[in-house]
């Protein structure tokens, strides 16, 4: 860990005095696979090196003796050894003798001057070399510890760090012998290996806490749990975002279904308020804190030079104890600070981890452990919406569009009824079904994408989900299927907005229904109806989500794929500015007569790129302005 020899002595002294913790690690170097014995005992015994034993055991050795600082040793013992040079306090690995270099050999200095090694040591260190004809040793600095975990670029080591150093034997003290350079090189992996083992043990402890609570035995791979408690900030080749996306959609699906059944007389607004109280970041983080989850979350990149031997509690190490649960504790350097959202993200990612490997039953068991009790089966649902469906809707036509036959056609009427449609015969509108259907579609599409692209990065999964699950996408699909013709509504403004949307859709002639390409806002009712129809099928089929997917998926075809996906312009601009270090300034927003105006401005390489767009809503204006600035940036010549 350190090239300074006194550091080694300090650690060994602390250990001898009993300042170590109750945890000890015995790390033994092994031979190559297939060799016998498995353990490299020669390297192990190198720690017991003494001059007395070296002289006694090598009396008849033909390698010859060589004078070092503490006396004579056999040449074979100085090769493959760890030595220190007290004049500069450094430690070196000796690989052999430099038979053509001794104290009288010439050394070229950095300024070009030539002098003998004898002159150099006398001028630089005030040392008079006594053995002018003895060959120097080929020394190499201890290998610098590297980070073998990070997925990001590997830092190039300085060439000098592995360069050979010519060492006069008379200045060297042997610490360990015999031990090879390759064994020392393997030591550089230890912090990374130990860090990974610590992380896996941490994930195992969290998994055991959950299993101790569960009646059923749920087999979840430890690596999956580790992925769920590893944030992007750790810079490893996995992190929690994909599982968080999946867990978030399942949580929303489970909670919305529970609330829909439990509060049968609540309208959508009250259901949404109750939902937010359960699944908000604040609520999830509080549940996570109750289970001591912050102590498990990994939120810092691994630095091998700051790596701390687990349980090592002495010297300059200042440790804080964080209790995880009864009889389980970890130690961390300094104080750990985690934002509420990171704890909430980890909760959602853990839901995703259990869901992806153990199915919905495992996901529900984890929800129960974290403090969210969901009952899918034991809550009876009574319909209070009874009408003669054929009077208001062409049921057979809709069933042919949806490829589904309704047992209770009044659900179809409810799913198509806007709040503006006031008739005594119709007791409500589509909002409750939309509340349910929104969560069902979100979960179905997220699960579909997660399973279809198991190897993609979390960022791509998030982008795919955003492109597939949004109001514009659903609205365009609804228009394509002709649902707009059958919406029961009595609002002139809504009628006008729908008519304009249909006209703009015909002009677009889109092959894929991203919604990004359109330069007009779509009435939310169109997306709502798609979601309410999904909710109606879900209820009518006895809460069978597979039937919902079979019915709704053809309406969303062709679904977005990795090959056809485009990134939302606002997000694409933000990511481009981050990557190229452009200055994305705060948008200038204004509202007048129901029209939003937004100015997006970016400074890139001394040039300013700016565009103002107006639209009926702020989000559309922002998208249009970002789109134009992106176009200008991509076409700019910065040479």
């Amino acid at each position: 860990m350190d090239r300074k020899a006194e550091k080694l002595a300090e650690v060994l002294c602390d250990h001898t005095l009993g300042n170590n913790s109750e945890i000890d690690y015995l790390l033994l170097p092994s031979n190559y696979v297939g060799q016998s014995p498995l353990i490299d005992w020669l390297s192990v015994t190198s720690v017991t090196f003494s001059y007395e034993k070296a002289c006694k055991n090598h009396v008849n050795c033909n390698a010859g003796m060589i004078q070092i600082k503490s006396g004579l040793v056999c040449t074979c013992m100085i090769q493959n050894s760890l030595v220190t040079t007290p004049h500069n306090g450094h430690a070196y690995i000796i690989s052999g003798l430099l038979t053509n270099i001794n104290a009288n050999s010439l050394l070229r200095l950095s300024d070009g001057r030539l002098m003998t090694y004898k002159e150099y040591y006398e001028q630089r260190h005030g040392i008079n070399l006594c053995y002018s004809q003895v060959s120097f040793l080929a020394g190499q600095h201890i290998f610098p510890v590297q980070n073998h975990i990070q997925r990001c670029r590997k830092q190039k080591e300085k060439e000098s760090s592995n360069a050979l150093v010519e060492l006069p034997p008379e200045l060297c003290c042997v610490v360990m012998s015999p031990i090879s350079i390759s064994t020392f090189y393997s030591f550089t992996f230890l912090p990374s290996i130990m860090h990974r083992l610590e992380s896996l043990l941490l994930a195992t402890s969290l998994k055991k806490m959950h299993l101790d609570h569960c009646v059923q035995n749920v087999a979840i791979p430890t690596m999956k749990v580790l992925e769920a408690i590893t944030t992007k900030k750790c810079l490893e080749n996995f992190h929690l975002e994909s599982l968080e996306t999946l867990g978030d959609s399942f949580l929303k699906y489970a909670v919305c279904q529970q609330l829909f059944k439990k509060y049968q007389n609540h309208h959508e607004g009250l259901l949404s308020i109750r939902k937010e109280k359960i699944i908000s970041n604040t609520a999830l983080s509080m549940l996570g804190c109750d289970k001591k989850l912050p102590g498990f979350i990994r939120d810092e990149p691994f630095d091998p030079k700051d790596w701390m031997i687990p349980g090592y509690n002495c010297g300059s190490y200042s440790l804080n104890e964080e209790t995880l649960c009864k009889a389980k504790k970890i130690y961390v350097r300094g104080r750990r600070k985690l934002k509420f959202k990171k704890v909430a993200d980890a909760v959602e990612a853990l839901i995703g981890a259990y869901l992806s490997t153990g199915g919905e039953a495992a996901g529900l068991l984890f929800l129960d452990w974290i403090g969210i009790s969901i009952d899918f089966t034991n809550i009876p649902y009574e319909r209070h919406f009874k009408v003669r469906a054929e009077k208001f809707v062409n049921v057979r036509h809709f069933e042919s569009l949806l490829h589904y036959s309704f047992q209770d056609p009044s659900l179809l009427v409810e799913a198509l009824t806007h709040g503006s449609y006031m008739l005594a015969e119709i007791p409500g509108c589509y909002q409750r079904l939309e509340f349910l259907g929104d969560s069902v579609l979100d979960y179905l599409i997220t699960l579909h994408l997660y399973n279809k692209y198991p190897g993609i990065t979390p960022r791509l999964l998030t982008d795919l989900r955003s492109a597939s699950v949004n109001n514009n996408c659903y609205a365009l699909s609804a228009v394509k299927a002709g649902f707009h013709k059958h919406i029961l509504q009595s609002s002139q403004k809504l009628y006008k907005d729908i008519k304009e949307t249909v006209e703009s859709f015909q002009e677009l002639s889109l092959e894929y229904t991203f919604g990004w390409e359109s330069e007009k806002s779509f009435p939310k009712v169109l997306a709502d109806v798609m979601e309410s129809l999904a909710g109606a099928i879900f209820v009518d089929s006895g809460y069978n989500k597979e039937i919902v997917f079979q019915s709704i998926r053809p309406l969303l075809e062709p679904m977005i794929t990795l090959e056809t996906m485009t990134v939302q312009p606002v997000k694409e601009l933000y990511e481009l500015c981050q990557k190229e270090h452009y200055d994305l300034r705060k948008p200038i927003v204004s509202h007048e007569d129901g029209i939003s105006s937004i100015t997006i401005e970016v400074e890139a390489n001394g040039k300013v790129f700016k565009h103002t767009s107006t639209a009926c809503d702020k989000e559309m204006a922002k998208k249009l302005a970002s789109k134009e600035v992106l176009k200008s940036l991509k076409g700019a010549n910065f040479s």
Side-chain angles (χ1 to χ4, degrees), residues 97-258:
L97 293 173
L98 298 169
T99 54
N100 58 339
I101 297 178
N102 57 37
N104 295 322
S105 300
L106 290 175
L107 169 67
R108 184 177 293 276
L109 302 179
S110 58
D111 59 6
R113 289 184 297 137
L114 289 173
M115 64 171 63
T116 65
Y117 281 92
K118 186 177 178 68
E119 293 169 336
Y120 171 78
Y121 274 94
E122 189 171 354
Q123 290 183 21
R124 178 70 185 270
H125 300 289
I127 296 172
N128 182 29
L129 297 179
C130 301
Y131 302 94
S132 300
Q133 301 303 318
V134 175
S135 296
F136 276 19
L137 303 175
Q140 190 169 340
H141 281 295
I142 298 293
F143 290 98
V145 175
Q146 296 182 29
N147 185 346
H148 297 281
I149 285 179
Q150 278 190 14
R151 62 180 172 84
C152 57
R153 62 189 181 282
K154 289 186 177 180
Q155 296 179 349
K156 292 183 178 179
E157 300 295 334
K158 294 179 180 178
E159 291 181 7
S160 60
S161 64
N162 290 328
L164 288 178
V165 180
E166 303 87 2
L167 297 173
E170 61 191 274
L171 299 183
C172 297
C173 297
V174 177
V175 179
M176 297 170 68
S177 175
I179 186 164
S180 66
I181 287 180
S182 60
T183 300
F184 267 104
Y185 179 63
S186 71
F187 290 167
T188 68
F189 290 85
L190 284 178
S192 299
I193 293 169
M194 291 297 289
H195 178 73
R196 173 62 78 237
L197 287 174
E198 291 169 53
S199 302
L200 288 166
L201 287 170
L202 195 67
T204 301
S205 296
L206 176 58
K207 190 169 73 168
K208 190 175 184 306
M209 283 171 59
H210 173 248
L211 288 175
D212 288 345
H213 169 81
C214 287
V215 179
Q216 301 175 28
N217 186 21
V218 182
I220 303 296
T222 303
M223 250 335 268
K224 213 65 174 171
V225 177
L226 181 60
E227 182 183 340
I229 58 174
T230 302
T231 69
K232 195 174 183 179
K233 196 175 174 183
C234 291
L235 301 177
E236 299 194 16
N237 58 2
F238 59 86
H239 57 85
L240 56 75
E241 282 189 10
S242 291
L243 292 174
E244 178 205 340
T245 300
L246 181 63
D248 169 62
S249 65
F250 178 72
L251 175 63
K252 182 181 171 185
Y253 162 77
V255 169
C256 286
Q257 186 178 162
Q258 172 97 340

Side-chain angles (χ1 to χ4, degrees), residues 11-26 194 308-315 317 319 321 329-331:
V11 171
L12 290 173
C13 179
D14 284 335
H15 188 89
T16 306
L17 293 173
N19 291 335
N20 58 308
S21 74
E22 70 274 10
I23 302 172
D24 284 318
Y25 292 84
L26 179 62
M194 291 297 289
M308 182 173 58
I309 297 172
Y312 185 65
N313 191 11
C314 65
Y317 291 97
L319 303 176
E321 179 182 311
K329 56 184 71 171
I330 60 170
Y331 294 93

Side-chain angles (χ1 to χ4, degrees), residues 340-540:
F340 269 17
K341 187 178 185 309
K342 290 204 171 177
V343 181
D345 290 346
V347 171
E348 291 174 340
L350 284 164
I351 295 168
Y354 280 80
L355 175 71
S356 63
T357 52
E360 289 186 7
L364 291 173
L365 283 172
F366 182 83
L367 281 176
D368 185 61
W369 177 74
I370 206 72
I372 301 173
S373 183
I374 300 292
D375 183 357
F376 277 170
T377 55
N378 297 322
I379 302 176
Y381 185 74
E382 296 180 12
R383 289 278 295 150
H384 303 288
F385 197 113
K386 294 291 182 181
V387 296
R388 286 182 54 202
E390 291 78 7
K391 183 179 177 181
F392 303 96
V393 177
N394 187 336
V395 176
R396 287 191 178 180
H397 174 67
F398 253 94
E399 288 181 337
S400 66
L401 287 175
L402 297 170
H403 301 286
Y404 178 77
S405 297
F406 280 91
Q407 297 178 50
D408 179 5
S410 64
L411 277 161
L412 193 52
V413 177
E414 183 178 350
L416 292 169
T417 303
H418 185 258
S420 63
Y421 196 70
M422 305 294 289
L423 278 184
E425 297 172 75
I426 299 181
C429 65
Y430 61 62
Q431 289 182 340
R432 274 180 56 86
L433 289 176
E434 178 236 327
F435 169 82
L436 179 64
D438 171 37
S439 66
V440 175
L441 278 183
D442 187 307
Y443 174 52
L444 285 170
I445 294 172
T446 303
L447 189 63
H448 165 73
L449 294 171
Y450 185 86
N451 292 331
K452 184 177 180 181
Y453 301 106
I456 65 169
T457 63
R459 184 186 69 82
L460 278 176
L461 178 64
T462 305
D463 288 346
L464 268 172
R465 183 200 188 195
S466 297
S468 305
V469 182
N470 61 73
N471 282 339
N472 286 350
C473 177
Y474 291 161
L476 288 169
S477 296
V479 172
K480 199 163 60 168
F483 292 162
H484 59 284
K485 301 173 186 174
H486 306 278
I487 296 173
L488 301 173
Q489 56 87 20
S490 55
S491 166
Q492 289 186 353
K493 184 181 183 305
L494 184 57
Y495 176 80
K496 181 184 174 185
D497 290 344
I498 292 174
K499 183 181 178 185
E500 288 178 358
T501 298
V502 173
E503 289 171 355
S504 67
F505 175 78
Q506 291 168 346
E507 291 169 10
L508 284 170
S509 299
L510 298 177
E511 184 180 356
Y512 297 100
T513 52
F514 295 97
W516 309 155
E517 296 88 340
S518 172
E519 298 189 357
K520 292 182 181 179
S521 299
F522 304 131
K524 186 174 177 294
V525 63
L526 294 171
D528 290 347
V529 163
M530 183 66 76
E531 291 167 342
S532 65
L533 285 169
I537 296 169
F538 190 55
V539 173
D540 192 72

Side-chain angles (χ1 to χ4, degrees), residues 37-143:
L38 178 63
I39 304 300
D40 177 8
W41 291 113
L42 266 180
S43 292
V44 173
T45 57
S46 68
V47 299
T48 65
F49 172 83
S50 69
Y51 293 102
E52 293 77 12
K53 288 181 182 178
C55 291
K56 182 180 177 182
N57 297 337
H58 288 261
V59 172
N60 299 320
C61 185
N62 296 324
M65 306 298 284
I66 190 169
Q67 181 69 44
I68 63 172
K69 188 170 180 63
S70 301
L72 288 170
V73 295
C74 185
T75 305
C76 70
M77 293 299 290
I78 197 72
Q79 296 185 51
N80 289 330
S81 67
L82 174 70
V83 305
T84 61
T85 50
H87 71 280
N88 61 9
H90 286 183
Y92 300 92
I93 309 161
I94 303 301
S95 57
L97 293 173
L98 298 169
T99 54
N100 58 339
I101 297 178
N102 57 37
N104 295 322
S105 300
L106 290 175
L107 169 67
R108 184 177 293 276
L109 302 179
S110 58
D111 59 6
R113 289 184 297 137
L114 289 173
M115 64 171 63
T116 65
Y117 281 92
K118 186 177 178 68
E119 293 169 336
Y120 171 78
Y121 274 94
E122 189 171 354
Q123 290 183 21
R124 178 70 185 270
H125 300 289
I127 296 172
N128 182 29
L129 297 179
C130 301
Y131 302 94
S132 300
Q133 301 303 318
V134 175
S135 296
F136 276 19
L137 303 175
Q140 190 169 340
H141 281 295
I142 298 293
F143 290 98

